[in-house]
Amino acid sequence: MVLQDKYAPNTNSAFEHYQAEHRLSIADTSAYWGEKAVTELDWFQGFDSVQQGGFLHGDVAWFVNGKLNTCYNCLDRWIEGRGDQTAILWEGDEPTDTKAITYRECLRKVCQISNALKAQGVKKGDCVTIYMPMMPEVSMVMLACARIGAYHSVIFAGFSADAIADRIEASGSKWVVTADEGLRGGKKLPLKAICDQAMAKDACRGVVEKCFVFARTSKTVNMETGRDVEFDSLVAAQRPYCPCEPMDSEDTLFILYTSGSTGKPKGVLHTVGGYSLYAKVTMKNSFDLKEDGSDVYACVADAGWITGHTYIVYGPLLNGTTTFMFESTPMYPDHGRYWDMVERHKINIFYTAPTAIRSLMRFGDDAPNKYDLSSLRILGTVGEPINPEAWRWYYEVIGRSNCAVADTYWQTETGGHVIANLPGAVPMKPGSCTLPCYGIDTVVLDPATGKELEGNCVEGVLAIKQPWPGMTRTCLGDHERYLTVYMKPYPGYYFPGDGCRRDEDGYIWITGRVDDVLNVSGHRIGTAEVESALVAHPAVSQAAVIGFPHEIKGEGIACYCTLTVGVEESDSLSKELKTAVRTAIGPFATPDLIIPTASLPMTRSGKIMRRVLRKIAAGESDQLGDVSTLADPTVVQVLIDKVEALQ
Ligand code: WT7
């Protein structure tokens, strides 16, 4: 655990130590983060003030006028002393396909990529779209953008051409970096072809100037003259040093699109200074990293999500540790893959999502028991509340009851963990993310009045009372939306959109989203996005999408669809509608249930009663509650029968 001497309390108890340090960190957040910024990051020029602005006006800024470069802090700073240490330990789709890239090698290649991007016209302040498989180059391109002051917009390689086109249009990104194909679980993903489709759409016309293509499988792909560039040879021809652009602390490091309650994804924006500091400090604390960088740390998420940004790329490298990158799936070639990797690479810290734990747990204990998992020290979980059963399996079978389980609550917008147990210091409770991180001032609000609920044993919505360095500063091109979604619901507080309970010990239990956002296998999907994909199909006149409890995914997607007059329901139509959603968003958003219906339960004022739809999909039709305000109560039984027939 990392503790500062000056805060050392007069006790040996690590928990009391945490409590004391946390109290101090929120009593004066500027003092706390100001000192961290100086000790944890290298600056080209010091900052004038630690923090200014606030939630109320949405004008938060950290480390004002300070100049630094995130890539410098990730790579250059470690060359002396850790140059020969592995920075990226990569394992490809096949277990035999591995690569260890040292800090020195990584810096050289990142410099070459930086020079290649510059040679092609990429400039400071440009947005670079990255649509890549989990090859080491994805991290390197992110770092190269940071080095030259361009900001990246990574799109998870499971998104469809439509989704890519929307994001390219919204960000005005002139540059796209991709690969010929991806490789996952023995299957090939035609990434360049999907990019081609995206770039051919009206939304992208005239936007994209260049598309840089790495070879992953070396398949021959369409290369449009003047636009597409074979990137490996161009990169190899570059000088292996590129100076770092001195960035203002508040310059943009990256944007990342995420779903909200409207159909349009938000470009969540993170900054150079604040995000980097927050990624570094939370990484070090939550995973109890060794200062000398000797840990082998594995986060098996994808770089395309915030978890990958903060805890595969930036957090580990800012701490000079070895970060493991995984291209494949937990099921390939069999469901022992994770544990095989832990044994072979002697992984000390392993970070995954409850959905993966649940799906592996189904196969029993034989697979994990076959492997030597004694290198493990800390097991992290993220993405959704972990059910106590999965927590226990993770703790007992994977951790041999000998590892700390770190339940890390956070979101794309928070940049890094905001509630998590400090391993070894904060006692664990299966299913609770426990207590706030340093510098995070959490409160529980009464959702109706917005008043803080004092004391323990209370339930309401979660909010954060003071700015922290890693928080998002705006939604790209739509600051009003940023204010509306996060700052206005409870003026003076940041509102993450989650409900929670504070138990008798002051521990936080997240109860789930309180907005129209689904959490499917830890992926955030807006119900409105799915609905607009469905109503875009000529057979659907109205759609209501809701989540229902799903054993593996946490939440499944149920789509109630009112069909256009004259259209008959059929299995093939249901399939078509599922495909429509996959095409609009991506395969990870595929609906679990399509429920065609003649009508939906509406109130007399014409509002769909989602509460009723949720109960029906959850198989809890005996708990529908008051349905007396429905315009036509008979539709309820029709839907109950339909859902029963489907399940
Ligand atoms: C939403 C954020 C943060 C990376 C992964 C998802 C839920 C996340 C936990 C947790 C309970 C969690 C929340 C949050 N969530 N972690 N440990 N316990 N709920 O990032 O796509 O931005 O989604 O995921 O509902 O708001 P995201």
Side-chain angles (χ1 to χ4, degrees):
M1 204 189 35
V2 183
L3 291 166
Q4 293 183 328
D5 289 347
K6 70 168 196 172
Y7 292 145
N10 303 322
T11 164
N12 291 325
S13 152
F15 186 37
E16 284 174 23
H17 213 154
Y18 156 78
Q19 289 171 311
E21 171 130 341
H22 183 261
R23 253 195 310 276
L24 277 165
S25 74
I26 60 168
D28 187 346
T29 52
S30 283
Y32 181 79
W33 292 115
E35 193 196 317
K36 288 283 176 216
V38 171
T39 53
E40 299 294 339
L41 296 176
D42 278 1
W43 298 78
F44 299 142
Q45 182 191 303
F47 41 89
D48 296 337
S49 70
V50 175
Q51 202 258 311
Q52 69 186 36
F55 294 147
L56 206 53
H57 300 291
D59 55 355
V60 170
W62 284 89
F63 316 120
V64 179
N65 292 329
K67 303 274 184 282
L68 77 165
N69 185 286
T70 303
C71 182
Y72 181 92
N73 277 279
C74 286
L75 300 178
D76 305 60
R77 125 169 215 157
W78 303 115
I79 294 305
E80 214 187 300
R82 295 187 196 177
D84 297 322
Q85 186 196 302
T86 302
I88 299 175
L89 178 58
W90 177 80
E91 183 158 312
D93 199 36
E94 296 302 327
T96 47
D97 194 6
T98 61
K99 262 186 216 166
I101 300 158
T102 66
Y103 271 90
R104 201 184 315 281
E105 289 164 343
C106 191
L107 175 62
R108 284 174 65 92
K109 180 115 183 218
V110 166
C111 282
Q112 289 182 306
I113 296 173
S114 304
N115 284 328
L117 292 171
K118 276 165 80 170
Q120 292 288 314
V122 182
K123 296 206 163 44
K124 181 174 178 175
D126 284 358
C127 176
V128 177
T129 297
I130 302 177
Y131 185 71
M132 287 178 69
M134 283 294 283
M135 61 200 289
E137 283 78 359
V138 67
S139 310
M140 294 174 179
V141 174
M142 291 164 74
L143 291 161
C145 289
R147 193 168 189 89
I148 65 174
Y151 60 92
H152 51 74
S153 164
V154 183
I155 303 176
F156 169 59
F159 275 107
S160 67
D162 283 349
I164 301 171
D166 288 348
R167 286 157 178 73
I168 289 178
E169 182 187 27
S171 62
S173 173
K174 291 193 277 187
W175 319 104
V176 176
V177 187
T178 189
D180 46 9
E181 291 184 307
L183 211 50
R184 245 184 135 235
K187 288 199 205 98
K188 293 184 172 153
L189 302 159
L191 300 185
K192 173 61 167 61
I194 296 171
C195 275
D196 284 345
Q197 279 177 34
M199 291 185 289
K201 289 190 190 289
D202 285 348
C204 287
R205 197 145 296 146
V207 179
V208 178
E209 284 182 21
K210 288 271 154 73
C211 176
F212 309 114
V213 187
F214 280 106
R216 170 65 189 101
T217 62
S218 298
K219 184 191 160 72
T220 309
V221 292
N222 163 56
M223 295 293 282
E224 195 179 296
T225 318
R227 184 195 68 186
D228 299 345
V229 179
E230 277 183 23
F231 213 35
D232 296 275
S233 49
L234 183 73
V235 167
Q238 304 299 314
R239 175 185 169 195
Y241 182 76
C242 171
C244 286
E245 195 63 42
M247 302 298 287
D248 190 277
S249 171
E250 283 294 314
D251 274 335
T252 305
L253 179 63
F254 65 83
I255 58 164
L256 187 57
Y257 282 94
T258 190
S259 299
S261 16
T262 73
K264 218 173 123 218
K266 308 173 268 208
V268 168
L269 185 146
H270 283 291
T271 56
V272 177
Y275 171 86
S276 302
L277 180 66
Y278 202 66
K280 179 165 190 192
V281 171
T282 51
M283 173 82 205
K284 189 190 277 199
N285 290 342
S286 302
F287 299 122
D288 190 26
L289 282 191
K290 295 212 170 81
E291 285 280 349
D292 64 3
S294 60
D295 287 305
V296 180
Y297 160 84
C299 167
V300 289
D302 192 283
W305 306 109
I306 192 69
T307 307
H309 283 56
T310 310
Y311 298 110
I312 297 178
V313 183
Y314 291 114
L317 299 178
L318 284 163
N319 281 289
T321 207
T322 296
T323 186
F324 179 82
M325 262 183 92
F326 182 46
E327 184 177 41
S328 191
T329 85
M331 305 297 174
Y332 185 78
D334 60 51
H335 56 262
R337 181 71 183 267
Y338 279 167
W339 325 126
D340 179 32
M341 296 193 306
V342 169
E343 178 181 296
R344 278 187 290 113
H345 299 291
K346 302 201 169 35
I347 290 166
N348 307 119
I349 304 159
F350 184 80
Y351 193 25
T352 190
T355 184
I357 299 167
R358 285 192 299 265
S359 60
L360 293 170
M361 198 173 121
R362 274 192 314 173
F363 296 103
D365 304 355
D366 290 354
N369 285 343
K370 265 198 347 220
Y371 296 98
D372 177 3
L373 304 182
S374 61
S375 59
L376 288 172
R377 192 170 85 246
I378 290 163
L379 301 171
T381 159
V382 60
E384 57 171 308
I386 181 164
N387 48 312
E389 201 195 355
W391 192 100
R392 287 205 179 82
W393 189 78
Y394 202 28
Y395 179 74
E396 287 164 12
V397 179
I398 305 307
R400 316 286 200 236
S401 304
N402 205 17
C403 296
V405 171
D407 185 345
T408 59
Y409 166 83
W410 59 299
Q411 45 179 201
T412 307
E413 295 86 341
T414 65
H417 306 153
V418 286
I419 306 180
N421 50 302
L422 274 192
V426 173
M428 306 177 280
K429 285 193 191 189
S432 164
C433 52
T434 76
L435 298 171
C437 299
Y438 293 140
I440 301 295
D441 195 356
T442 47
V443 291
V444 182
L445 302 180
D446 180 321
T449 64
K451 292 264 173 320
E452 281 181 37
L453 296 170
E454 306 286 344
N456 290 336
C457 303
V458 290
E459 186 157 350
V461 293
L462 181 68
I464 301 178
K465 209 175 168 173
Q466 299 187 64
W468 68 101
M471 62 177 278
T472 175
R473 302 290 194 271
T474 193
C475 298
L476 186 74
D478 197 350
H479 196 65
E480 196 51 44
R481 186 168 180 200
Y482 170 82
L483 297 175
T484 306
V485 175
Y486 310 108
M487 306 304 173
K488 286 189 181 161
Y490 302 100
Y493 299 92
Y494 169 84
F495 175 53
D498 285 301
C500 78
R501 180 164 69 81
R502 186 162 55 215
D503 76 5
E504 63 283 6
D505 297 315
Y507 274 44
I508 299 291
W509 298 73
I510 302 293
T511 49
R513 305 280 318 181
V514 293
D515 51 12
D516 292 324
V517 170
L518 307 179
N519 188 332
V520 179
S521 300
H523 300 324
R524 205 205 280 200
I525 300 167
T527 53
E529 282 172 82
V530 182
E531 286 165 5
S532 70
L534 291 165
V535 295
H537 191 286
V540 180
S541 64
Q542 192 177 23
V545 170
I546 51 104
F548 67 95
H550 187 286
E551 218 184 311
I552 303 292
K553 301 190 206 178
E555 215 166 10
I557 307 177
C559 310
Y560 294 88
C561 301
T562 316
L563 301 184
T564 318
V565 179
V567 175
E568 291 294 321
E569 52 180 276
S570 67
D571 285 351
S572 67
L573 177 62
S574 294
K575 271 204 198 112
E576 237 179 78
L577 296 179
K578 285 185 185 181
T579 308
V581 177
R582 290 168 69 98
T583 312
I585 306 173
F588 63 93
T590 308
D592 297 275
L593 294 174
I594 299 277
I595 307 141
T597 169
S599 60
L600 287 164
M602 302 273 207
T603 61
R604 281 186 211 103
S605 57
K607 264 185 87 180
I608 298 173
M609 260 200 185
R610 288 172 177 273
R611 170 177 63 82
V612 170
L613 295 177
R614 257 183 227 116
K615 288 285 177 199
I616 297 175
E620 293 171 356
S621 44
D622 52 331
Q623 302 162 33
L624 289 183
D626 181 18
V627 289
S628 60
T629 54
L630 281 179
D632 172 15
T634 60
V635 351
V636 171
Q637 193 55 47
V638 177
L639 290 177
I640 292 172
D641 295 344
K642 286 207 165 191
V643 171
E644 264 175 19
L646 282 169
Q647 280 172 334

